[in-house]
Every structure is written in C-alpha cells, then in structure tokens.
Amino acid sequence: MERYRTSSHSRFDIKYHFVWVTKYRKPILAGEVGVRLRELVREVCRTNEIEILEGAVSRDHVHVLLSCPPNLAPSKIMQYIKGKSSRKLLMEFRHLQKQYWGRHLWARGYFVATSGNVTDEVIQEYIRQQDGTEPGDGGDQFQITPS
C-alpha cells in the first residue's frame, strides 16, 4: 500500500535514490567519520522535512533513499547534504584537512533516480483513458480536454 505524505496544500509520494562519492574515491568514511556523517545527513533531512527510508555509508560512497517534499529539487537536497557534511567533517576531523586541503570532501557529481510503484506505461494508459479527451495529433502525446 502506498504511503502518501501531506503538506498544507499537497499530497505526495516522491522518493529519490541518491549516491555520491568522496573526492578521488578515498576510503575515508570509516569509523567515527562514517558515524558523524550519518548524524549530519539525519540532521539535514530533519531540518528539511525529508524522511530517510534507507541509507548506507561505505568507505568511499553513500547511498540513501529519501522521501522528499515537492518544494525541494534533488539538486538542492544534494547541495544541503554535501555542503553541510563536508564543512562539518573537515572542521571536526583534522586528518581529513590534510587529505582534502582544497575544502572539497565530495566529488562534484552525484547519482539520482526516482522511485515509485507506478510505471510510466501505467500513467500513460491512465491519461489515455480519461473521459472527455479528444485524440491528439500524435506529435507530442498531449491530449486536449474540451471545456
């Protein structure tokens, strides 16, 4: 069964799978650093009303499955998580400052994919079956509903 979340003007079920890596894939996320990273990710998510559905910290990369509100873009979520965690980890663990003297703990990019229970084909078929729609011209798969 789907579990929808609610805000003041919307109901939503938006899930993102994020993966990001340390710069140069250095295996630094072990021990206390990994534990502190988990705390920082939880803190950022709590602040932004993001639910952590699953997460794993490996030695050189992180996986999380997040349920996010519709007002937050995936790029903003990553900006918040990577920015705060990088700054705090470099401040708190001196040995990281020696390896990452340029103040960049994370590699530049990240992976993100959406997750859900409904496939694109199911949504397309649902839209095609709506009452009162006229056939489109087939160019952009967009149907016009008469007023």
Side-chain angles (χ1 to χ4, degrees):
M1 184 170 148
E2 296 162 20
R3 199 177 123 237
Y4 292 110
R5 293 177 58 197
T6 304
S7 67
S8 59
H9 298 285
S10 61
R11 289 179 64 83
F12 56 91
D13 183 25
I14 302 170
K15 296 179 193 125
Y16 297 117
H17 172 210
F18 288 104
V19 182
W20 67 97
V21 300
T22 59
K23 195 163 188 177
Y24 313 120
R25 294 296 295 252
K26 289 187 178 183
I28 59 162
L29 302 176
E32 292 181 28
V33 178
V35 171
R36 181 65 175 134
L37 173 62
R38 280 191 275 281
E39 292 170 1
L40 292 169
V41 170
R42 286 182 185 124
E43 188 178 311
V44 169
C45 290
R46 196 172 31 254
T47 302
N48 292 289
E49 299 178 5
I50 298 169
E51 282 185 31
I52 301 172
L53 303 175
E54 196 70 39
V57 176
S58 297
R59 294 177 65 81
D60 65 351
H61 67 282
V62 181
H63 285 267
V64 289
L65 178 62
L66 305 176
S67 174
C68 306
N71 63 321
L72 282 177
S75 59
K76 271 294 180 205
I77 296 166
M78 274 291 90
Q79 179 184 348
Y80 295 152
I81 292 174
K82 287 171 72 175
K84 181 168 188 165
S85 64
S86 177
R87 189 172 53 83
K88 292 276 192 176
L89 290 174
L90 288 172
M91 280 181 7
E92 295 174 15
F93 297 97
R94 297 282 179 211
H95 70 279
L96 294 179
Q97 290 180 357
K98 293 175 185 170
Q99 294 182 48
Y100 294 105
W101 46 268
R103 296 186 313 160
H104 297 284
L105 179 70
W106 304 112
R108 291 182 79 173
Y110 60 91
F111 167 83
V112 63
T114 57
S115 167
N117 296 332
V118 181
T119 64
D120 294 343
E121 292 79 23
V122 170
I123 295 171
Q124 289 171 334
E125 185 59 30
Y126 174 77
I127 292 171
R128 282 190 209 106
Q129 299 302 320
Q130 295 301 301
D131 291 334
T133 59
E134 295 180 5
D137 61 4
D140 59 3
Q141 302 298 324
F142 192 84
Q143 298 178 3
I144 300 170
T145 304
S147 346

